[in-house]
Amino acid sequence: MTVPRPAWMSRRPAARPSLLVQFGSLSLVIVVVLGLVIGQLLHTLIADRAQANARASAEVYLQLVQRSFFTPDLQSPSAGTVATPDQLSLSEQLTGDPVVRQQVLSATAWLADGTVVFSTARDEIGTRELLPASARKALAGETVSGIADSSRVRSDAYDLGQHAGEQVMFVDMPLSIGGSSRPGVVVEITQDYVQTEAAIRHDTSMVYGWLAGGLLVLYLALFRVVATASRRIRHQSAVNRDLALHDTLTGLANRSLLRDVATQALTTSRRHDDHVALLLLDLDRFKEINDTLGHHHGDLLLALIGPRLRPALRPGDTIARLGGDEFVVLLPGVVDAAEALQIARSVLGLLDEVFAVEGVELDVGGSIGIAVSPEHGRDFETLLRHADVAMYAAKTNQTGATVYDPAHDANSPARLAMLGELRRGIDTGQLVLHYQPQVDMDSGEVTGAEALVRWAHPTRGLLFPDEFIPLAERTGLIRPLTLAVLDQALAQAARWAQDGRPLAVAVNLSARSLLELTLRDDVAAALARHGVQGGMLELEITESTVMADPERALVVLRSLTELGVTVSIDDFGTGYSSMAYLQRLPVHGLKIDRSFVTDLGGDVNEVIVSSSIDLARSLGLHVIAEGVEDRSTWDRLARLGCHTGQGYYLSRPVPAEVFDEWFARHLDGELAAVPGV
Ligand code: C2E
Ligand code: CA
Ligand code: CA
C-alpha cells in the first residue's frame, strides 16, 4: 500500500524548461542553420553551374560561326563593310534557327577601336562606339560573362519593349584574327537568362525541399530517441524518489516521507485550529515470531500489517513503518485525543485477529502510544518521542493504547540509557549471581542452590532483578542475559562438583526464553561446555509462563527433560494453572510462592499452602517452599509434608564465596538453627 503524495510535494519549480525542451529547441536551431548554409551553398553551386553551361553553349555557338564570319574577310578590318551579305544571311539563318534562337538573343563583334564589324542589329554594323568594360577585359585575352538587363541585347529580332526588366546573360569572347597572337576582335553574345533563372530556381527549390525533408526526418528521429531516453530517465528518477520515500519491505511510507507529511499536516492544523495525532504501534510478539519461524515469515507478517490496519483509518491517514516492528499512523485533523484513542483501539482490534502467514496462524497484537499536537508537541520529532514514551507505558501497563502523559516521561530517557548500559553490562560481565541454599526438610542436607542474578552497575551499585529483568524481557536482551546466567551457574556447579560436594543449581527462566525453540540447544551447549550432568541443573519457570502457550511450553519442556534437566514451577499459587496441564507437563517440582509462605500464620495462606503440598504430593511432585524466614514456618512446613525449604531463615542469596563459607559452617553443624543437622 502506498501513500498518495500530497499535492504540495508534487509542485515543481516553474521556471526551468525541461531538458527535452532545451534539447529540442537547441537542436532545431542547429538543424535550421545547417539547412540554410547547405541550401545557400547548393544554390550558389547550381547558379555557377548554370552560368558555366550558358558560357559553354555560347562558346559552341561562337565556334560554329567564327570561321564563316570572320576568318576570310577580317584581314583588313578597316575596309568598309565588314560582313558580306552572304555572311549576314548566314548569321541571320543561324540566329533565326529555332534551336539557336532559344538561347542566343544577339551577337555583336567589335574591333579593338570600337568599330562594330558585325551585329544582329544590322544598322549598327560599321558604326563605332565605346567598348563596354567587359569587352575591353575580353580584349586582354579572357572570356568574360555576366548578367545584365535586356537593353544589352542588340538585335533587330528582339523587341526590347516586350522584354523590359528581364535579365540576360552576356559572354564576351576574344578572337585572334589574321594569325596575330593578340585578340583583335571581341564577340559578345547575349543569351536568354529567364529560362536559366527558372531552372536555377527550380533546382534550388528542389534541393531545398529534399534538404528540408531530410533534415526534418533526421531531427524527428533524433528527437524521438532523445524523448524516449528522457522519458526513461524521468521514470527511473521517479522510481528512485519513490524508493527513497517508501519502505521496501511493506511499501508503506518511511520515516522521511512520514516526517514531510506530518510537518505539512501540522502546518495545516495550526491554520485550522485542529489536532494532529501520531500513533506509534509496536507489535507484541514479533520478535518471538521472527526468532522461531525465521525472517521470511517475519517479513511476510510485516507486509500484512499495513493492509490490515487500513479499515480502521480515514482516507487521509498515513501509515508508515519506522523499522523493525514499529509502525506509525498519522491522523491529521482529529478533534481530540479521545478520537485518536478510539481509532487506536479499532487498530488494536484489527491486529487481534489471527494473521495467516503461509499456512501458519499467528497471534500478534500490539501496543500503541498516542501523542496529539499541540498538547504533546508542535513538531514531528517531539510528537514521535512522546508517542514512543506512551507506547512503552502501554506495554508496561498492558493497556493496549495509551495517550501520552508527561508522568510517563520521567523514566523514559533513563530507560533508554539503561537499555544501552544493560547491553554493555551483559557483554562485559557485569552480571553476577548470588546463590541461595535449598535444604531438605527431613535430613537438613543442602540439596541445591538457586542462582539469582544481580547487576553490578558501574555507578548505581548492585541492582536487583526487578530493576532490569522486565526491561530485558521487553527488548530481546533476555536471551543473552539468560545465556550469561546459565553459563555462570553451570561454571559454579562444575566447581562445587570438583570440590567434592556436588550441588544442583536452579536457574530462573523468563517466558520469552521458554518460548525460544533454540533453548534446548543453548542448554545442551552450556552443560557440555562445563562438563555438568543434566541432572545438576534445575530450571524454574512460572505458572504464567507455561499458561501463555501451553502447547509450545510442552514441546520445549520435553526437549529439555531429554537432557536430564529437571523443571519446577515457580511462584506456584499465584497463577491459574490448569491441573490438566500440570499433569501433562514433564515437571519435577512445585515451588510454593513466598507470598503464601512468609505469611503462613494467616488461615487462608495455611489452607493454600497445605492444599498445594497435598496436590503436589498426589501428583508425585517434589515441593519446595521459598520465603521461609523463621523457625516456626520451617517447622510448620515440615509438618505439612513439604520436601525442601529455601529462605532468609537459612541464608539470603549471597555471592558464591559467601555461600561456600555458609556451606562449610552448615556442614560443621555450626548452624544449629537448621533442624535435622
Ligand atoms: P524468584 O524466582 O521467586 O526468586 C526468589 C526471590 O525471593 C529472590 O528475589 C530472593 O532474594 C527472594 N527471597 C528469598 N528468600 C526470601 C525470604 O525468606 N523472604 C523474602 N521476602 N524474600 C526471599 P530476587 O533475587 O530479588 O529475585 C526476584 C525475582 O527475579 C526472582 O523471583 C526471579 O523471578 C527473578 N530472577 C532472579 N534471577 C533471575 C534470572 O537469572 N533470570 C530470570 N529470568 N529471572 C530472575
Ligand atoms: Ca525462582
Ligand atoms: Ca518464586
Side-chain angles (χ1 to χ4, degrees):
M1 183 167 40
T2 50
V3 177
R5 287 164 63 75
W8 60 272
M9 287 192 67
S10 43
R11 204 169 51 208
R12 287 225 213 115
R16 253 184 89 182
S18 81
L19 269 183
L20 187 61
V21 170
Q22 287 184 38
F23 165 80
S25 32
L26 183 68
S27 56
L28 186 64
V29 168
I30 292 176
V31 165
V32 166
V33 168
L34 193 70
L36 287 176
V37 168
I38 294 178
Q40 192 53 46
L41 218 65
L42 287 174
H43 172 77
T44 313
L45 277 177
I46 290 168
D48 284 356
R49 177 62 56 89
Q51 286 194 18
N53 275 346
R55 222 152 104 165
S57 56
E59 269 163 12
V60 169
Y61 171 76
L62 190 65
Q63 267 158 27
L64 211 70
V65 296
Q66 178 178 11
R67 223 164 252 150
S68 54
F69 279 106
F70 305 113
T71 316
D73 297 280
L74 289 180
Q75 304 286 352
S76 47
S78 54
T81 309
V82 289
T84 64
D86 287 349
Q87 289 169 337
L88 282 175
S89 78
L90 178 63
S91 155
E92 274 152 14
Q93 268 175 31
L94 262 175
T95 48
D97 179 278
V99 179
V100 176
R101 223 175 139 159
Q102 279 240 298
Q103 295 253 307
V104 177
L105 299 175
S106 69
T108 310
W110 294 280
L111 295 177
D113 65 357
T115 307
V116 178
V117 289
F118 171 76
S119 176
T120 39
R122 291 177 71 174
D123 293 350
E124 290 177 11
I125 298 175
T127 60
R128 215 172 136 173
E129 55 191 44
L130 197 64
L131 285 178
S134 54
R136 283 202 301 278
K137 224 163 152 192
L139 272 174
E142 55 174 315
T143 301
V144 178
S145 65
I147 310 293
D149 65 43
S150 52
S151 61
R152 188 93 176 209
V153 179
R154 296 144 166 258
S155 166
D156 299 337
Y158 191 76
D159 182 353
L160 256 179
Q162 201 185 320
H163 296 282
E166 285 176 7
Q167 286 198 311
V168 298
M169 191 176 164
F170 62 87
V171 184
D172 288 7
M173 283 169 294
L175 273 181
S176 303
I177 44 175
S180 161
S181 61
R182 286 197 55 222
V185 176
V186 179
V187 180
E188 176 172 285
I189 284 164
T190 62
Q191 287 181 311
D192 175 50
Y193 192 64
V194 175
Q195 283 178 40
T196 311
E197 206 183 9
I200 291 174
R201 243 198 324 274
H202 171 262
D203 288 358
T204 305
S205 55
M206 202 161 78
V207 162
Y208 265 121
W210 278 106
L211 187 66
L215 285 177
L216 186 70
V217 168
L218 176 73
Y219 174 76
L220 289 179
L222 260 181
F223 191 82
R224 213 186 116 96
V225 168
V226 171
T228 309
S230 146
R231 204 173 329 113
R232 289 215 185 111
I233 291 169
R234 266 204 313 277
H235 175 73
Q236 191 55 46
S237 71
V239 167
N240 290 348
R241 199 166 47 231
D242 197 60
L243 280 181
L245 293 175
H246 290 91
D247 169 50
T248 38
L249 183 65
T250 60
L252 298 173
N254 64 12
R255 194 191 196 97
S256 114
L257 178 55
L258 177 69
R259 182 186 296 108
D260 289 344
V261 179
T263 306
Q264 180 62 21
L266 286 165
T267 314
T268 314
S269 85
R270 268 196 288 281
R271 243 181 281 130
H272 292 47
D273 209 23
D274 56 17
H275 309 263
V276 174
L278 217 57
L279 313 188
L280 180 67
L281 162 70
D282 187 90
L283 302 183
D284 280 345
R285 275 174 286 281
F286 182 72
K287 281 195 185 67
E288 288 160 28
I289 290 166
N290 221 19
D291 288 350
T292 51
L293 298 177
H295 290 292
H296 175 63
H297 281 79
D299 288 355
L300 292 176
L301 173 64
L302 290 176
L304 293 177
I305 301 295
R308 173 65 69 91
L309 304 191
R310 258 298 151 200
L313 307 180
R314 306 159 307 163
D317 299 341
T318 300
I319 309 177
R321 176 171 171 243
L322 293 191
D325 59 346
E326 280 192 337
F327 293 81
V328 168
V329 178
L330 174 81
L331 306 173
V334 288
V335 182
D336 53 14
E339 189 190 355
L341 187 61
Q342 199 185 335
I343 295 177
R345 294 217 169 106
S346 8
V347 163
L348 289 175
L350 293 173
L351 275 183
D352 272 345
E353 285 160 36
V354 167
F355 282 85
V357 178
E358 289 194 340
V360 184
E361 299 211 326
L362 300 173
D363 266 324
V364 182
S367 304
I368 295 182
I370 305 167
V372 183
S373 78
E375 297 89 325
H376 306 143
R378 291 169 184 279
D379 61 277
F380 169 69
E381 301 296 344
T382 310
L383 282 175
L384 188 63
R385 202 172 61 241
H386 288 163
D388 187 52
V389 169
M391 192 273 289
Y392 272 102
K395 263 217 157 128
T396 312
N397 308 328
Q398 307 210 319
T399 47
T402 300
V403 177
Y404 172 74
D405 180 335
H408 298 146
D409 227 353
N411 55 29
S412 156
R415 189 191 67 85
L416 283 180
M418 191 156 155
L419 194 59
E421 288 172 4
L422 180 57
R423 196 187 307 272
R424 275 190 299 283
I426 294 171
D427 289 347
T428 58
Q430 290 171 11
L431 296 186
V432 293
L433 295 187
H434 283 188
Y435 298 91
Q436 189 177 33
Q438 298 175 333
V439 173
D440 185 279
M441 288 196 147
D442 268 350
S443 63
E445 194 188 333
V446 181
T447 53
E450 180 176 6
L452 294 156
V453 70
R454 276 92 183 90
W455 177 11
H457 191 278
T459 54
R460 295 170 59 199
L462 200 65
L463 300 182
F464 281 78
D466 55 325
E467 288 182 86
F468 59 91
I469 292 280
L471 179 68
E473 280 174 341
R474 273 209 311 274
T475 55
L477 278 182
I478 193 65
R479 184 173 135 95
L481 185 145
T482 302
L483 293 181
V485 169
L486 207 54
D487 198 60
Q488 284 191 46
L490 290 176
Q492 185 58 50
R495 271 194 294 277
W496 282 326
Q498 270 163 23
D499 293 350
R501 41 191 160 131
L503 280 182
V505 67
V507 168
N508 293 281
L509 277 191
S510 288
R512 278 222 173 169
S513 304
L514 186 71
L515 295 178
E516 275 166 9
L517 294 173
T518 54
L519 183 64
R520 182 204 172 274
D521 293 345
D522 289 341
V523 170
L527 286 170
R529 198 159 51 244
H530 297 286
V532 173
Q533 298 284 309
M536 300 308 278
L537 176 64
E538 174 147 18
L539 294 174
E540 297 190 1
I541 54 173
T542 63
E543 272 183 282
S544 48
T545 299
V546 176
M547 298 325 290
D549 190 347
E551 292 301 328
R552 179 87 157 274
L554 187 61
V555 172
V556 178
L557 290 179
R558 281 208 180 121
S559 71
L560 284 170
T561 50
E562 281 165 13
L563 299 172
V565 172
T566 55
V567 176
S568 53
I569 302 287
D570 205 351
D571 299 351
F572 185 76
T574 56
Y576 307 92
S577 308
S578 141
M579 284 304 140
Y581 268 113
L582 272 187
Q583 246 174 323
R584 283 180 60 196
L585 286 177
V587 293
H588 157 259
L590 289 187
K591 203 164 178 184
I592 301 172
D593 191 62
R594 65 176 185 272
S595 58
F596 307 112
V597 176
T598 44
D599 196 16
L600 195 55
D603 289 347
V604 178
N605 283 352
E606 167 113 31
V607 171
I608 292 173
V609 170
S610 69
S611 58
S612 296
I613 293 173
D614 289 347
L615 171 75
R617 293 188 76 112
S618 69
L619 289 174
L621 297 177
H622 185 88
V623 195
I624 306 183
E626 64 176 10
V628 185
E629 295 187 351
D630 51 44
R631 173 73 189 251
S632 68
T633 308
W634 180 275
D635 289 341
R636 193 146 4 148
L637 285 165
R639 273 201 302 280
L640 288 172
C642 185
H643 298 115
T644 306
Q646 176 186 347
Y648 294 170
Y649 172 58
L650 298 169
S651 167
R652 291 189 173 251
V654 288
E657 318 82 71
V658 182
F659 182 93
D660 287 344
E661 283 167 24
W662 175 89
F663 197 12
R665 278 185 288 145
H666 177 77
L667 288 177
D668 291 347
E670 279 176 40
L671 302 167
V674 179
V677 176

